[in-house]
């Protein structure tokens, strides 16, 4: 099983959005994250980078105008 930690904008400890992410879906300008316990988080933005070998994903947040 390949689980990842998802970060907002850059890979730093203070930007962790969710750990143990098993599913990532992109729809309508949002990135939907689901972890191993079936909890979900929605982040407005786009997928910037996914490195499944190292187990991390970066989501670039959309900043409201």
């Amino acid at each position: 099983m390949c689980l990842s930690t998802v970060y907002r904008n850059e890979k730093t400890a203070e930007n962790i959005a969710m750990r143990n992410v098993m599913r990532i879906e992109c729809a309508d300008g949002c990135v939907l994250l689901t972890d191993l316990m079936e909890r979900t988080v929605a982040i407005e933005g786009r997928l910037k980078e996914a490195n499944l070998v190292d187990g991390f994903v970066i989501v670039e947040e959309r900043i409201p105008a």
Side-chain angles (χ1 to χ4, degrees):
M1 185 179 320
C2 194
L3 301 174
S4 294
T5 299
V6 177
Y7 299 87
R8 296 173 190 263
N9 300 316
E10 61 181 289
K11 188 182 171 192
T12 60
E14 59 270 5
N15 289 343
I16 293 174
M18 182 176 260
R19 296 181 192 272
N20 298 316
V21 173
M22 66 173 190
R23 183 179 312 125
I24 300 172
E25 299 174 61
C26 298
D28 301 324
C30 282
V31 179
L32 306 170
L33 312 171
T34 305
D35 73 3
L36 203 51
M37 302 301 290
E38 295 288 331
R39 294 176 289 217
T40 61
V41 170
I43 301 173
E44 269 192 63
R46 68 178 187 90
L47 189 62
K48 180 178 178 182
E49 179 181 352
N51 186 324
L52 302 181
V53 171
D54 291 333
F56 73 88
V57 174
I58 299 174
V59 174
E60 187 176 297
E61 274 188 295
R62 179 176 305 135
I63 299 171

